[in-house]
Amino acid sequence: MDQGKKKIAKRVSIGLLLVVCVLVVFGLGFLKRILTASKNEHTGSGTSTSIGDTIKQATDLAFNPTAGFPGQDRVNILCMGIDDNWTDTDQVYTKDARTDTLFILSLDLINHKISMLSIPRDTYAHIAGTSHSFKINSAYQTGGPERAVQTVQELLGVHADHYMVLNIDATKKMVDALGGVDVNVEHEMHYHDAWGHLSIDLMPGEQHLDGAQAVGFARYRHPDAGKKGSPEDGDDRRMYRQHVLLKGMIGKAKNLANVTQAPHLIDVGMSSIRTDLTRGQLYDLAAIFKGVQPDDIKTASIPGEDFRGPDGAWFFRPDAPKSSAYVDWLIKGDETAIRRLTPIVVKNGTDINGLAQRAVRQLIAYGYTDVRNGGTTRKIAAPVVPAGTPESETSMTGTATPPVTATAKPAVYEVTELLDSGVPSPDVVRDILTGMQMMNAQVLRRPNKPNHLGWTPPVNVTVVLGKDYADANPEAAPDAGTTTGETGSSSE
């Protein structure tokens, strides 16, 4: 083995870091809470309670599950997945480990809503308590979870109330304890690294993955040297797959046929994490969110772009305005922040001049920040068969001749239409209608397929105004002779 590998052990990326904490919080902790453990016990230890105490705990949990978080209506947890290192004698160790994966898990205790915001590991940030800025994954390496919490707070302006740290074995052990997990592998992935103890061979399609395969699914980032790349390459897709795997594991945990496995699964999870949450707090969270389904969890990653630093290293630079909007929406619970993340194109489908521009101004005044005028449009009329013309005629040879058709004049829209391309939240469409002072509209939805990042807002919402919009907003019709830039036209 060369000296370089002896001096710097090969990093092994963890892939998924929220597995254990979410399984504890969403599905099985409630049962374990009733069976064992005292209220203020920290994770990693447990003692049996008397029957009387058990009944009292169950009653307290049923009627006051937020007791573990007095005065709080929201709990933010910074979840860190640390990379393992391997020595030249093939021994794993965690000294000087970095956070390979970083999430803020935000739990709304009142409305029982859950959201997760990913922070790319290469994010350029000031490292709290130091005089320098570097990749955010070095915060944990130099100052543990406390410094990581402080660094994230400086970066995003949001404080994490608690933290969780786990390593690669947590994912593998929990998936195996669940009996595997079902996920959809969208693209072929192959990567082999004997030094890093990683072998990935996955083909497209619905797959039942064991623990080792699930780790590979979550960790894949690029192919073997010299091999053809995959659409799954890169940190963005890796973070997306981690969310997919996480939801699959939550679903499996919540639908286990044999609930007697709950205590074992909880012990497996708790043996692999380091956290400042007590067992009692984890079980309280389990009681609060036991009804949450995987698809109810909102996920996103802070947006931005890669750049190369002076020494040639690659970093990630967050888009500050959009990152702030994501924090406000997912972490602080401000539902109106989604208006700063949803592009809207407004088209005039009527013969009322200037209607689209008025709607643009109306939506901007309502709080949407990216709204543009898409010009005019008309309904494409289907070909019509003139009266008296047979739909088809059969010739002497028995072949059908096409009918004589005519094209009707394109029609205006009587009813407003909204084309939802897959916006970050289904509430957006209703909010747009509210901003336009309308009760109803025809809503068209394309399949909600994630883009290459898996979660960021897609192209836009397209609004085609009908005469019903003008009726609902009589003040929207401009004075006669005003054009307001709607001279262009398009068809759909």
Side-chain angles (χ1 to χ4, degrees):
M1 183 176 297
D2 60 52
Q3 293 298 316
K5 288 187 177 180
K6 289 183 179 180
K7 291 179 181 178
I8 303 176
K10 177 74 173 179
R11 288 196 307 118
V12 177
S13 56
I14 182 175
L16 183 65
L17 65 113
L18 286 178
V19 175
V20 177
C21 72
V22 176
L23 288 171
V24 170
V25 172
F26 310 110
L28 299 169
F30 180 74
L31 294 174
K32 177 78 172 193
R33 171 73 162 128
I34 294 176
L35 295 173
T36 63
S38 94
K39 179 76 173 180
N40 296 317
E41 187 179 7
H42 283 273
T43 58
S45 62
T47 58
S48 297
T49 60
S50 68
I51 294 177
D53 287 341
T54 298
I55 294 174
K56 183 179 184 301
Q57 288 177 7
T59 303
D60 290 344
L61 191 60
F63 290 99
N64 190 22
T66 61
F69 306 93
Q72 291 182 260
D73 55 13
R74 180 178 290 270
V75 175
N76 295 325
I77 304 171
L78 183 63
C79 301
M80 294 163 276
I82 61 172
D83 55 13
D84 285 343
N85 297 298
W86 300 86
T87 68
D88 56 350
T89 59
D90 209 32
Q91 299 297 311
V92 65
Y93 69 98
T94 58
K95 185 178 183 296
D96 297 327
R98 288 168 285 188
T99 48
D100 186 73
T101 310
L102 202 60
F103 286 91
I104 299 176
L105 180 66
S106 188
L107 308 173
D108 183 340
L109 305 181
I110 305 302
N111 300 304
H112 300 180
K113 293 182 178 180
I114 305 162
S115 56
M116 293 161 38
L117 183 63
S118 297
I119 305 171
R121 64 177 189 171
D122 292 337
T123 298
Y124 187 75
H126 174 254
I127 307 303
T130 74
S131 59
H132 69 277
S133 297
F134 197 63
K135 295 182 179 182
I136 200 168
N137 65 355
S138 67
Y140 179 89
Q141 179 185 30
T142 60
E146 293 80 8
R147 175 166 289 173
V149 168
Q150 294 168 1
T151 299
V152 170
Q153 182 171 352
E154 285 189 20
L155 176 70
L156 298 179
V158 60
H159 177 71
D161 306 295
H162 299 280
Y163 65 80
M164 280 188 165
V165 183
L166 62 151
N167 64 17
I168 196 168
D169 281 342
T171 304
K172 182 178 183 299
K173 288 179 180 177
M174 185 56 72
V175 171
D176 285 336
L178 287 169
V181 64
D182 298 323
V183 300
N184 178 34
V185 179
E186 296 183 31
H187 303 96
E188 190 171 349
M189 291 177 278
H190 299 284
Y191 178 76
H192 304 86
D193 181 1
W195 174 258
H197 295 238
L198 181 62
S199 180
I200 303 172
D201 285 294
L202 294 172
M203 300 298 290
E206 294 289 339
Q207 309 276 339
H208 182 78
L209 307 181
D210 61 22
Q213 292 171 318
V215 168
F217 176 79
R219 289 177 56 195
Y220 177 86
R221 194 161 61 124
H222 58 77
D224 293 316
K227 298 297 183 179
K228 183 179 178 181
S230 165
E232 298 295 337
D233 293 355
D235 282 333
D236 292 327
R237 282 297 294 181
R238 182 168 69 165
M239 285 188 291
Y240 168 61
R241 291 194 308 275
Q242 290 168 1
H243 288 223
V244 170
L245 179 60
L246 174 61
K247 289 184 177 182
M249 294 181 70
I250 297 171
K252 185 67 179 289
K254 290 174 69 66
N255 291 285
L256 283 174
N258 186 3
V259 297
T260 60
Q261 289 295 309
H264 169 63
L265 290 169
I266 294 299
D267 285 338
V268 169
M270 288 184 172
S271 68
S272 304
I273 67 174
R274 173 187 174 191
T275 179
D276 60 348
L277 287 161
T278 67
R279 281 184 181 242
Q281 287 175 316
L282 288 172
Y283 297 144
D284 285 342
L285 293 175
I288 295 169
F289 295 100
K290 64 181 181 295
V292 173
Q293 299 300 317
D295 289 341
D296 295 333
I297 303 173
K298 296 178 180 178
T299 62
S301 175
I302 61 174
E305 61 182 2
D306 295 326
F307 74 97
R308 190 184 292 274
D311 61 352
W314 283 99
F315 296 90
F316 178 83
R317 179 187 293 112
D319 180 314
K322 288 185 178 180
S323 296
S324 176
Y326 271 118
V327 169
D328 290 346
W329 175 41
L330 296 177
I331 308 303
K332 297 182 179 179
D334 179 5
E335 294 295 334
T336 66
I338 197 67
R339 299 171 190 168
R340 291 141 55 194
L341 296 166
T342 307
I344 302 175
V345 175
V346 181
K347 297 182 179 182
N348 188 352
T350 75
D351 53 7
I352 303 173
N353 196 28
L355 202 62
Q357 191 60 27
R358 281 297 179 92
V360 168
R361 289 197 289 267
Q362 187 179 32
L363 288 169
I364 290 176
Y366 188 63
Y368 284 90
T369 58
D370 186 358
V371 189
R372 67 181 180 88
N373 188 334
T376 61
T377 187
R378 296 290 182 269
K379 282 182 174 290
I380 296 179
V384 297
V385 180
T389 303
E391 290 188 359
S392 65
E393 297 178 353
T394 304
S395 67
M396 295 287 291
T397 60
T399 60
T401 58
V404 178
T405 62
T407 303
K409 181 180 180 180
V412 298
Y413 285 73
E414 298 293 335
V415 178
T416 296
E417 290 186 1
L418 277 77
L419 175 59
D420 174 1
S421 307
V423 291
S425 169
D427 296 333
V428 170
V429 171
R430 291 190 293 270
D431 190 61
I432 291 173
L433 290 176
T434 300
M436 295 169 58
Q437 300 181 24
M438 297 187 66
M439 295 296 293
N440 297 294
Q442 183 175 0
V443 178
L444 308 175
R445 288 189 171 91
R446 291 174 180 161
N448 191 15
K449 295 181 179 179
N451 62 12
H452 75 288
L453 300 180
W455 45 62
T456 54
V459 178
N460 55 47
V461 172
T462 300
V463 179
V464 180
L465 300 175
K467 289 185 176 180
D468 57 339
Y469 171 75
D471 294 339
N473 295 268
E475 72 281 5
D479 296 335
T482 304
T483 61
T484 63
E486 288 179 25
T487 57
S489 64
S490 61
S491 61
E492 298 183 329

